[in-house]
Amino acid sequence: MTHLSFEEHSARDARLIILRGLNDQLDGRMNEVLLTALLGTFGHNRSREWVRTQLNKLRELGAVTLVEAGTVKIATITRAGVDHVERRSLIEGINRPSPEV
């Protein structure tokens, strides 16, 4: 098992929170401003630039697509992202979701 730095552990947790937030939306989309606020409610008080970095990583992993609306990025969850949140598959680089109780 690879030892993760605190920063990487925090980023993987934030990526899961982002995916869960997107999956909870009827259309699977949220903008980076709302995602920054969502992360803050879970103790990830980070800059919008840090959130953009996580969104770009999620795009690289195939979990989201991104579009720009003016100066704001909008993320949409992909089928792979939904499958990760719903525990049908695992995407390396994102924390594994806990089972629903």
Side-chain angles (χ1 to χ4, degrees):
M1 184 164 114
T2 305
H3 178 71
L4 300 176
S5 69
F6 177 78
E7 187 62 32
E8 180 59 19
H9 179 72
S10 177
R12 288 175 180 226
D13 183 58
R15 293 176 201 140
L16 177 59
I17 292 167
I18 290 168
L19 287 185
R20 282 184 166 159
L22 294 171
N23 196 49
D24 287 345
Q25 302 304 304
L26 287 176
D27 63 357
R29 300 182 319 153
M30 286 179 83
N31 69 50
E32 66 187 337
V33 176
L34 293 174
L35 289 168
T36 300
L38 173 67
L39 287 168
T41 64
F42 287 93
H44 291 279
N45 296 313
R46 300 297 191 112
S47 70
R48 201 158 125 189
E49 190 56 41
W50 188 86
V51 174
R52 278 187 176 197
T53 299
Q54 303 319 310
L55 291 174
N56 287 329
K57 181 66 174 182
L58 286 167
R59 180 183 56 202
E60 289 173 18
L61 296 172
V64 303
T65 59
L66 297 175
V67 296
E68 290 190 25
T71 61
V72 178
K73 289 191 184 245
I74 299 171
T76 303
I77 195 166
T78 63
R79 170 49 53 196
V82 171
D83 287 346
H84 181 86
V85 170
E86 295 180 356
R87 299 176 53 89
R88 287 192 289 267
S89 65
L90 181 63
I91 300 174
E92 186 62 36
I94 305 169
N95 276 358
R96 183 179 187 147
S98 300
E100 295 291 325
V101 179

